[in-house]
Amino acid sequence: MSNILDRIVDNKRREVEAKYANGVYDSYSAPQLCNKKISFSRSLLDSDTGIIAEFKRRSPSKGEIHPMAIASEVVKGYAANGAACCSILTDTPFFGGSLDDFAQARLAAPDLPLLRKEFIVDRMQILEAAFYGANAVLLIASVLSTRELEEFTDYAHSLNLETLVELHGTDELDKAIDSADMIGVNNRNLSTFSTDLSMSTAMIAHLPENAVKIAESGLSDIEELKRLRDKGYRGFLIGESFMKHENPCLALKNFINGTH
């Protein structure tokens, strides 16, 4: 199988280059920023569940998941049914998302912490996230150098955004930068998109103490969340388990109640 991550990142770099060429980023000046300071990490720490409910329509590994889902409806429902925060995919070719989805989500849930989940390769994508009302951005260690992670985090902080630095194995622990607000362990292999829940358990002892710790991908049972919380995780990013259902919001509610 070809490396899916490489394909996504190559495409993302072309997208960014096209936006520069077309002057898209010129409209995102700092005085126009419409995001207000809402702490994504604090919301997780204050939550009983720590669930980051994700909105996405498809994935490279599963194909179409919920192609007709409407971001405003799903995110508003997530907020009403126990989500501490939400993650919105804004990649179109591989995940079926868009910045329009993010804008709809922001309007539908103005007080809910939102993460722009994107393959960030350029600081202008962070400015773009702030312009659309994000409260946090994802930075993927497999995609960025340590210097880029530090520089992008500093830039995000200057825009009232927090950062979630995502790791995929012990070989990336040197990229768990101290300035990150949150450190995520993704149980999904981004080369093959297969999942292994043991990754979160194996990594927890090696993560920096100061960052809020988040387990991502492959979580399908409230008891799994309880076990990971006991180990030190405070955030749990879940997407497919909810989005594959006709009513993702009801799926979230049932998940929390242990009746899914």
Side-chain angles (χ1 to χ4, degrees):
M1 180 183 292
S2 61
N3 189 313
I4 299 172
L5 179 61
D6 287 346
R7 289 165 48 204
I8 294 173
V9 171
D10 286 346
N11 186 76
K12 193 59 56 182
R13 294 190 189 281
R14 289 194 295 272
E15 283 184 12
V16 169
E17 288 172 3
K19 285 187 174 184
Y20 271 114
N22 294 328
V24 173
Y25 293 131
D26 295 340
S27 63
Y28 300 147
S29 60
Q32 293 176 296
L33 297 179
C34 57
N35 67 315
K36 61 180 179 179
K37 179 65 174 178
I38 302 175
S39 176
F40 198 97
S41 58
R42 173 49 57 183
S43 296
L44 295 177
L45 292 173
D46 291 343
S47 169
D48 291 334
T49 65
I51 291 177
I52 306 166
E54 187 162 86
F55 177 86
K56 64 179 177 181
R57 295 189 179 90
R58 64 174 175 263
S59 76
S61 59
K62 299 294 184 180
E64 300 292 347
I65 298 172
H66 200 146
M68 303 306 292
I70 299 173
S72 58
E73 294 178 0
V74 173
V75 171
K76 186 175 182 178
Y78 278 160
N81 285 282
C85 307
C86 278
S87 165
I88 315 294
L89 261 300
T90 59
D91 174 82
T92 301
F94 296 90
F95 292 91
S98 70
L99 282 164
D100 286 341
D101 288 333
F102 203 100
Q104 291 177 29
R106 181 75 288 165
L107 289 173
D111 297 318
L112 185 71
L114 298 183
L115 170 79
R116 183 188 185 187
K117 192 170 185 183
E118 182 56 273
F119 295 81
I120 289 179
V121 296
D122 189 283
R123 62 187 282 151
M124 293 306 291
Q125 293 169 282
I126 301 173
L127 179 62
E128 188 172 56
F131 184 83
Y132 275 82
N135 307 111
V137 291
L138 178 71
L139 301 177
I140 302 174
S142 300
V143 173
L144 302 169
S145 68
T146 301
R147 180 177 178 179
E148 286 173 323
L149 291 170
E150 291 172 341
E151 290 179 351
F152 287 0
T153 291
D154 288 345
Y155 184 57
H157 288 169
S158 76
L159 299 173
N160 282 339
L161 299 178
E162 295 182 340
T163 58
L164 166 55
V165 172
E166 181 179 279
L167 310 178
H168 295 87
T170 54
D171 59 326
E172 293 180 347
L173 283 170
D174 61 329
K175 293 184 177 182
I177 59 173
D178 291 336
S179 56
D181 304 281
M182 298 163 282
I183 298 291
V185 175
N186 197 331
N187 299 304
R188 190 180 304 282
N189 183 312
L190 287 188
S191 295
T192 65
F193 271 66
S194 61
T195 56
D196 179 4
L197 287 177
S198 67
M199 184 63 68
S200 289
T201 302
M203 291 278 286
I204 185 66
H206 306 287
L207 301 180
E209 293 185 8
N210 61 308
V212 175
K213 300 166 186 63
I214 297 174
E216 308 172 36
S217 301
L219 302 170
S220 59
D221 188 285
I222 193 66
E223 295 303 319
E224 292 172 346
L225 268 64
K226 292 177 180 177
R227 288 191 290 271
L228 289 170
R229 180 179 283 274
D230 288 342
K231 293 181 180 299
Y233 286 98
R234 289 296 176 266
F236 309 94
L237 194 150
I238 306 173
E240 184 182 324
S241 292
F242 302 148
M243 290 301 301
K244 69 182 180 182
H245 290 279
E246 181 179 358
N247 186 336
C249 313
L250 181 60
L252 166 62
K253 181 179 180 179
N254 290 341
F255 181 92
I256 292 173
N257 293 333
T259 59
H260 67 295

